[in-house]
Amino acid sequence: MAKVITFGEIMLRLAPPGYQRFLQSPSFEATFGGGEANVAVSLSRFGAKAAFVTKLPKNAIGDAAVGELRRQGVCTDLIVRGGDRVGIYYCEKGASQRAGKVVYDRKHSSIAEAQSADFDWNKIFDGAEWFHFTGITPALSPAASAACAAACAEAKKRGMTVSCDLNYRKNLWTPADADKGMRPLMRFVDYLIANEEDAEKVFGVKAEGTDVSTGRISRAGYENVAKKLIADFGCKGVAITLRESHSASDNGWGGMLFTDGGSCFSKTYQVRIVDRVGGGDSFAAALIYALMDERGPQAAIELAAAASCLKHSIEGDFNLIGLDEAEALAAGSGSGRVQR
Amino acid sequence: MAKVITFGEIMLRLAPPGYQRFLQSPSFEATFGGGEANVAVSLSRFGAKAAFVTKLPKNAIGDAAVGELRRQGVCTDLIVRGGDRVGIYYCEKGASQRAGKVVYDRKHSSIAEAQSADFDWNKIFDGAEWFHFTGITPALSPAASAACAAACAEAKKRGMTVSCDLNYRKNLWTPADADKGMRPLMRFVDYLIANEEDAEKVFGVKAEGTDVSTGRISRAGYENVAKKLIADFGCKGVAITLRESHSASDNGWGGMLFTDGGSCFSKTYQVRIVDRVGGGDSFAAALIYALMDERGPQAAIELAAAASCLKHSIEGDFNLIGLDEAEALAAGSGSGRVQR
Amino acid sequence: MAKVITFGEIMLRLAPPGYQRFLQSPSFEATFGGGEANVAVSLSRFGAKAAFVTKLPKNAIGDAAVGELRRQGVCTDLIVRGGDRVGIYYCEKGASQRAGKVVYDRKHSSIAEAQSADFDWNKIFDGAEWFHFTGITPALSPAASAACAAACAEAKKRGMTVSCDLNYRKNLWTPADADKGMRPLMRFVDYLIANEEDAEKVFGVKAEGTDVSTGRISRAGYENVAKKLIADFGCKGVAITLRESHSASDNGWGGMLFTDGGSCFSKTYQVRIVDRVGGGDSFAAALIYALMDERGPQAAIELAAAASCLKHSIEGDFNLIGLDEAEALAAGSGSGRVQR
Amino acid sequence: MAKVITFGEIMLRLAPPGYQRFLQSPSFEATFGGGEANVAVSLSRFGAKAAFVTKLPKNAIGDAAVGELRRQGVCTDLIVRGGDRVGIYYCEKGASQRAGKVVYDRKHSSIAEAQSADFDWNKIFDGAEWFHFTGITPALSPAASAACAAACAEAKKRGMTVSCDLNYRKNLWTPADADKGMRPLMRFVDYLIANEEDAEKVFGVKAEGTDVSTGRISRAGYENVAKKLIADFGCKGVAITLRESHSASDNGWGGMLFTDGGSCFSKTYQVRIVDRVGGGDSFAAALIYALMDERGPQAAIELAAAASCLKHSIEGDFNLIGLDEAEALAAGSGSGRVQR
Amino acid sequence: MAKVITFGEIMLRLAPPGYQRFLQSPSFEATFGGGEANVAVSLSRFGAKAAFVTKLPKNAIGDAAVGELRRQGVCTDLIVRGGDRVGIYYCEKGASQRAGKVVYDRKHSSIAEAQSADFDWNKIFDGAEWFHFTGITPALSPAASAACAAACAEAKKRGMTVSCDLNYRKNLWTPADADKGMRPLMRFVDYLIANEEDAEKVFGVKAEGTDVSTGRISRAGYENVAKKLIADFGCKGVAITLRESHSASDNGWGGMLFTDGGSCFSKTYQVRIVDRVGGGDSFAAALIYALMDERGPQAAIELAAAASCLKHSIEGDFNLIGLDEAEALAAGSGSGRVQR
Amino acid sequence: MAKVITFGEIMLRLAPPGYQRFLQSPSFEATFGGGEANVAVSLSRFGAKAAFVTKLPKNAIGDAAVGELRRQGVCTDLIVRGGDRVGIYYCEKGASQRAGKVVYDRKHSSIAEAQSADFDWNKIFDGAEWFHFTGITPALSPAASAACAAACAEAKKRGMTVSCDLNYRKNLWTPADADKGMRPLMRFVDYLIANEEDAEKVFGVKAEGTDVSTGRISRAGYENVAKKLIADFGCKGVAITLRESHSASDNGWGGMLFTDGGSCFSKTYQVRIVDRVGGGDSFAAALIYALMDERGPQAAIELAAAASCLKHSIEGDFNLIGLDEAEALAAGSGSGRVQR
């Protein structure tokens, strides 16, 4: 299987222990994560050759980010070193009716201030077949947006497949800015991935019959969203994660993949949440893996849903599972019996 | 908003990590809590000026208790220093069918051995509008009971509003002693607060149609309890928390406020419990806040129920939320979606 | 109450913190456990005089295992010291759809390489009334299997009651080997204990109408399993735990005891799982306790089901509860209300 | 080797992690310790049969104390259960010029409020050869003092050897009270043990030429102290630990044993301190062990000094070493090379 | 005693546990610190009324910083809320020959981007007597430098005493920039405080005969430095900390205060280092305290040296000691004996 | 710089927290280490391309070992997967007079049971210039010894430089067996590395005038040892680490490199020990680096001594420093001043 490139930000993630609130006690769990890095990690763990492209400062924190990616098998040779800081996000787990909370401190990070010229696209895309980015990267800064556009164009020029996860973040930009930032990139995108509210937030394409705040989901509504996005942007496929938010502890979870063959819906899982951050990224990664592996749309959406269902049981941003575990769940083994 | 005084005990709370039993491993999480202190912390976090009155020894443990209250914004200037020890309670979390467990080691604490004369009521009540105490303080010792009675009388003399949370504790006194201890204080009380079994345990006023051990709750039963309490004691209002104890992990939760306008019931929440200790205190505090803020009985009970619902998702005695979070939940946002 | 002997392996259990995967962070919770040791601990905590017989190396890790058993009140005077190593099992908690995972590193442990001659059966069984072993011990090695057979014969010779928990472990032997290893021991066994799939895995006796992977359980099917086992092996009684595996977080749990008086089924509990390892051992121990205490079959199965239901809320292998707690749950108190 | 009885208090020890001050972070390391319990643990670890006699409440904290003693091999069968609470001491480690700090919360503990009649001396001393107590027990309360005197008399009546560690604690009583409390017990004492300032504090017998606050020690001065104590009280031997307090991190350490054969001084060790609490107890225990084992005075004081030197490198009250380690150090192996 | 104002930055301090390197394991101890905040904390703990002035963002991390200051008794009413982020410093402990390491991530913090107009100097200095700042604040940004100059001018205008700790940081500015930034502020400064190399780094005033890299210190050299600074800037006094850096684990420590009465040198302490960060701040604070308390120069320098000597034994930035502890050490009690 | 191959074992290292003894509390720090892996990590961190060759089981623990090596930049592509288990060593830190302690549980590990045929030497040595092994590998098992001999022969055949660290382990084999195992390998060795007692233990070549148990070192004695080894085995150089074991907390440390140019001794460092395990490996790695970089013997021994001096301040087996830090210390900067 060939090389996938993901491009974006990896941040230091600072999380209080267990269900504590920020700095309730003087300690943070300190790991790394970020939408595009998470996808690279998942792909690498599944056996794909994945490289993550970003810019990180030449200091001990940047070194640690590189080391952690390397530990997960991600190629870090294409990471540019320089700039001032590693972006940070403070991440507090929700529970029951209390929502999880994220405080971003990612402005002025090395990647947010990186220029397109920092990246040697020839070297980066040499031998690569798939390029993945998310809506977070263009939201970081005008420079990051420009670099992202350049990456898309370069990838497309080389005939690579391009996927994009809309990943709308209200703390980074407004819907209006998101529309302005994302729309021009859509012409490069073969596979568009979104969660249950991204399309509405970014492009104003609403799923009728759905109320995300109550967790009520309409399948037909999402089929129409996909059709509209394909009509507007000419993508080959649109994949949407379908989260039913019962509470911060319990969610329904599944996904839809819409291609020219129509819609395929995955099973719906009722998940008891350990950590839901990175759920969408693990979905995107497994979908990309299955598509590269030409498994067919139904198999692809089942693998994506199963992998990302399991992500909800894993601490941290990275989906620390193996392909075998995702496949077993997709095949029906969700009883959680101890394997010994 | 004006000053609230709460009077009682703050204890060192020693809890094993996670779901471990006492001293299963050689470590305790060491925080502070106690009914009346918890109320002061909630009020202060909501923006009210709250002072907590107690007696604490002049040693490093007493200093730490004061520091922690100060961290939460509670005024500690009225705390008397002296006596022998900070009371302790060992607190083990329950899970599933296993009940939580509390071992008290609070005898001979500075506040239990404090005399009414230790407190300068003129200074304490200067400028204050509301006085809150709970049934724990009179249960500590005859001296504490006398000091509590003195505080009530002094508060009433100054025209302050007085609230009392019955907070019956079977490890501190018998129902008979509780009745004898609490009944004389009732004439000072404007707002009487209780959980679903306090009124029965302390005053023998049973909610017909309810079985607290199974979690079955009768609304009409509690309306009658409130009517009876108002008839007996002449309170302005009676508020009762309604807990449906399905297990140590899952509870139903809501509340009723009964005033001369009749009964108002809050929504019922199904809570996945992180830590239920302090649930009643957070209810009382939010209710006091809403009443002081003249929000009307339905809004008051909804705020109280929402704030205390959220408390169940917070580690420790203190309800470490903001007013905005309680208001958002009362307004309907309980899906627990990550805020980022 | 008289002395119970259990014989088998105690291992070092290395578990990542919380819901982390193996070595996600560089730390292990390090406790001890193993089927037969767990039974001895439960019995001792309930007030029975229990001794655990095994072989442990003369080093600091072996010393720690002995110390931990002693802490739980288990008699360790009969443990033989020598050999090379303490067996290890790495244990990862499951959550939601993700199954728990055990990696065994128990080959070449002192007990696996022990010889029957290492044990002085006269001394071991002096004054003992009950002997318990599980299907794990014969699976360890031919030598352990021989020692186990010798123990059974010696116990039976002295007129003791013998119980056996089938405890099939697919990582230790195949069903065929298990059949060959266990069948000859059955003639010594008075009470045979099994989980919902052991009888099928070891002896090919399937419970019709049950699908353990989905959690669907047929009571009639298990009655037939018990009848068949009694017919084949001449046991006095067969007890089977009935687990409904909804997910790694939520299970249904109960048990059946089949004796010449017919079948008794316990209540079924819906458990929110903290740690399910050792659930079967805590069931066996409580059953043995009740049978020794001549409580009658219905009371026995209720105590066994309640004790083991509570085990699911306890971290680690040992069921750190008291007899009073199991009895209270068996009597109906499962609301999980804080005791204070 | 025969049975040793120690009598006194075991407390819950609450210590902040590392070099933190009390409650600098919300966590305590929670272990158990107390002069006489520490001696019993040391003796048991050296292979002697040691029983610890005290009174502990019937609750989970009392249970944990018993379990911990049992883990260390101490016989707990003679412990009386009842009373209100386990005594507590908060223990903060010193470093460099900052002194360690202890806050006692041990009043009203079960043993402090125990009566002599609580203890069945016949059962306790059955088969015992040596009785050990310290000056802490009589300081707890008049009742504890009376029980201690009764124990001494009963032990003496049975011809047992009695040892006493003066262990003066300024937070428990004044020198005048200590003199009054300890002097009557001296007639029972065969071996009197003290640290470098106890004799002066309790009996006013000063070591000339020594300034404990600077760490300057005069050997001749301590010989005279021992002579005086023997002359006054008729003991067989006096042992004194000689601590040179350079700082909270670095101490000189050694000991003297004075018998009718004159004085024997141990080597002096320069210790880098991990935890010095329990240093004197480990000295007393090793001395008792050596005397029971009839090793001769020089060997005895060397073993005592070596064992207690090693205690300074161990976290917690208990001296978690083996006899072999103390003997090796006494024999000269203090280079600290890794053993692998 | 009257009110002291300190002005500057408080940062989140992220430190790996123990002696680990950055992110060696995925955890940070998360506390708060910063030169001027540290001084306010020390003063408050000594009993002075101290307020800290800064700008912090309106988010949970800013709230936590305010809470922590409040816990230490510092007045936080004058803190301005707004801006983007709390500055961070990553702090790795040194040991033996390995130097401690700090990675700054403090650019773009709220205080670095604050404008002088953000601060209401009339309100801030109302009733204040002493103003303290350090060389870090002007180094943050031109705006912070301007605000600092404004504060100095406003303080001076009101007749307050002004103290400044040079606190040169090579990671924030060059010596040339430091000279340019600090020189204009010197005319406001009554007491100038520096470490053993600040004067040389900032103003090029070298202490002859001293080599800070080897720890060799010349007293005469520092007297000349002080004379030169007083001559140049007209300060009333110059205080210099004298650190002998033997290694990251062991330092010599003392100080000099030079006033019109000549030089006073403190005792020199040999310190075993727990955490040396904040050593200079604790020195400045104790000096300010002593000067405000009019204790005379020798007493002042002894208190400052003793307080800051003790700081080296405390984890974190804040000097969590009491005035009594500093006074006791200054009076000679440095043997580190446990207080019990 | 070209590729270095190291061959041997990487183990799971289980260490109690801080200075605790094994299982004093139920927790292990779980990292990885082993002589040859440690050398590969050091080389990689210094910038050399290093690959580690071993055999590890196909399970989660083996995966974690691979991931950790990858995190440190070591090439893991040549690691063979298979066999039963990852070897373990339990590692307890010493302090003061208490020696560190290692309990090996490494028998039957995948590498101990590996066959030479498991390794494809052509692939392994393709493009490599230097081969390093230690005396531990041949001590593991006859098969490992044979594989090690094969590796040496293959490396030599390709003209590579071969280095060997004698690394005598008394828990693995006797001196007689070590002599028999190591002597035949010596003809392949260009650079022989040893600690202050290895040559005596393995080959009976004693350094006259040295007593390693007291820490007294004779330089002339070690020159003679080197001469003798060169004479016997024909090595190009012999390097010996010179440890003066004052205690488990404090050591002197330095090294000697003897080549045809005579002896070069490094500076001697007095180290305050954080963790001394891996000290020799870090010495070997830095020496290899310097020799490959042709820095000359004095520079080489100074780099090796400085790097390994710093290792003593680092937790765990790996020397987590950069080349710049070793060079700075070698150049004289050992004052440990905080870098900020």
Side-chain angles (χ1 to χ4, degrees), chain F residues 205-224:
Chain F
V205 184
K206 185 166 165 39
E208 299 299 328
T210 284
D211 178 352
V212 298
S213 72
T214 63
R216 188 159 45 85
I217 295 285
S218 155
R219 292 189 163 206
Y222 282 104
E223 285 176 336
N224 288 331

Side-chain angles (χ1 to χ4, degrees), chain F residues 30-75:
Chain F
T31 55
F32 289 95
E36 307 80 11
N38 299 348
V39 169
V41 166
S42 272
L43 283 164
S44 169
R45 292 185 65 93
F46 277 18
K49 283 187 183 153
F52 176 60
V53 177
T54 190
K55 187 171 179 184
L56 283 168
K58 281 187 205 164
N59 65 20
I61 315 305
D63 291 348
V66 170
E68 189 55 31
L69 288 165
R70 221 156 43 191
R71 177 152 83 117
Q72 302 299 338
V74 173
C75 170

Side-chain angles (χ1 to χ4, degrees), chain E residues 276-296:
Chain E
R276 48 160 287 181
V277 178
D281 306 322
S282 63
F283 174 88
L287 188 79
I288 293 169
Y289 184 88
L291 293 173
M292 289 178 75
D293 201 34
E294 299 181 357
R295 297 195 172 193

Side-chain angles (χ1 to χ4, degrees), chain E residues 309-330:
Chain E
C309 168
L310 289 171
K311 168 61 198 71
H312 289 77
S313 75
I314 305 281
E315 299 276 8
D317 268 51
F318 297 162
N319 191 14
L320 300 175
I321 63 162
L323 180 56
D324 55 335
E325 293 176 304
E327 288 174 340
L329 178 56

Side-chain angles (χ1 to χ4, degrees), chain F residues 70-136:
Chain F
R70 221 156 43 191
R71 177 152 83 117
Q72 302 299 338
V74 173
C75 170
T76 59
D77 297 346
L78 304 171
I79 294 176
V80 176
R81 300 300 295 272
D84 276 355
R85 62 184 300 256
V86 176
I88 289 173
Y89 84 101
Y90 299 94
C91 174
E92 187 183 88
K93 220 175 254 196
S96 206
Q97 283 77 8
R98 178 169 58 82
K101 206 168 160 182
V102 162
V103 174
Y104 281 137
D105 179 17
R106 59 198 298 183
K107 276 191 201 169
H108 308 290
S109 69
S110 293
I111 183 66
E113 304 201 337
Q115 305 299 317
S116 185
D118 286 336
F119 303 97
D120 178 348
W121 301 115
N122 284 329
K123 185 175 155 208
I124 287 168
F125 289 126
D126 180 35
E129 296 187 5
W130 193 292
F131 175 66
H132 177 76
F133 72 104
T134 86
I136 294 173

Side-chain angles (χ1 to χ4, degrees), chain A residues 8 18 132 154 156 167 192 210 258 273 318:
Chain A
H132 178 75
E154 294 279 346
K156 213 64 208 172
N167 253 348
L192 185 57
T210 285
F258 195 98
I273 296 175
F318 297 161

